[in-house]
Amino acid sequence: MAMERTLVLFKPDAVQRGLLGRILTRFEDKGLKVIGLKMRQFERGLLEQHYAVHRERPFYPNLVAYMGSGPVVALALEGKGAIEVVRKLMGKTNSAQAEPGTIRGDFGMSFSNNLVHGSDSPEAAARELALFFPAPGELVTWTPANLGWVYSVKEELS
Ligand code: IDP
Ligand code: MG
């Protein structure tokens, strides 16, 4: 499995409800490496681009308005198969149907206000990371002290 990078957003409901720490802990506890982190109230144009694949969907106008309604935290994560790992930790889009144990399953009830975004493919991850972390140096290359314990050095890191 390849080392991947993926974009996570803590949506305005996660910020307003004071869930940033608990949600970030899910990702850290799993062994994913944080390589970028920022809080902004993002501009409408950027959010429209981010969700451009959903432009024709009925929920699109509300989605863009909600994502621009307050501060959002953008997080870049790295790990083996990180894109799918993050999607699994998030749970199903409709929080009411998301499995207990997932972020949406444990903290949410809503379809739209579902706390987190995670890229859904390598192509989406590359596009979204470039949108939210455009400047050189915004993503940090570093080696966690416990990397050789999170993964098998012989089987997974060489
Ligand atoms: P995802 O976030 O699980 O990848 P997508 O289908 O990519 O889900 O939809 C993007 C976001 O749009 C969702 O996270 C949710 O906030 C919102 N959304 C998607 N489908 C609906 C819907 O049917 N009703 C209301 N909001 C929706
Ligand atoms: Mg999606």
Side-chain angles (χ1 to χ4, degrees):
M1 191 159 287
M3 201 55 91
E4 291 177 340
R5 293 178 162 192
T6 188
L7 177 81
V8 170
L9 300 175
F10 295 179
K11 297 182 176 186
D13 49 323
V15 179
Q16 297 291 346
R17 292 177 57 198
L19 294 172
L20 293 179
R22 276 183 281 173
I23 296 175
L24 181 57
T25 294
R26 299 287 178 112
F27 296 117
E28 285 193 308
D29 283 353
K30 180 69 174 162
L32 290 158
K33 176 168 73 167
V34 176
I35 55 165
L37 186 65
K38 65 164 74 159
M39 180 188 247
R40 296 279 189 284
Q41 187 151 358
F42 289 105
E43 285 173 16
R44 190 185 176 85
L46 183 142
L47 297 168
E48 284 174 350
Q49 261 182 283
H50 172 64
Y51 280 121
V53 290
H54 297 309
R55 216 167 11 219
E56 308 303 329
R57 308 284 287 280
F59 58 82
Y60 179 76
N62 284 340
L63 175 60
V64 172
Y66 146 66
M67 290 298 289
S69 68
V72 163
V73 171
L75 183 68
L77 293 176
E78 187 178 277
K80 293 255 172 192
I83 294 166
E84 194 189 332
V85 169
V86 164
R87 297 284 301 184
K88 281 196 174 144
L89 290 175
M90 286 165 45
K92 283 189 189 160
T93 306
N94 184 348
S95 308
Q97 291 173 358
E99 293 292 325
T102 65
I103 293 163
R104 287 164 170 171
D106 285 352
F107 296 121
M109 289 294 287
S110 169
F111 210 145
S112 55
N113 293 21
N114 59 6
L115 302 156
V116 279
H117 165 83
S119 310
D120 66 5
S121 67
E123 298 70 32
R127 190 179 70 81
E128 294 171 359
L129 285 167
L131 262 181
F132 285 88
F133 294 96
E138 282 194 281
L139 298 183
V140 180
T141 301
W142 63 288
T143 304
N146 65 5
L147 191 72
W149 298 100
V150 170
Y151 297 102
S152 159
V153 175
K154 269 191 188 160
E155 292 167 21
E156 295 163 331
L157 292 183
S158 30

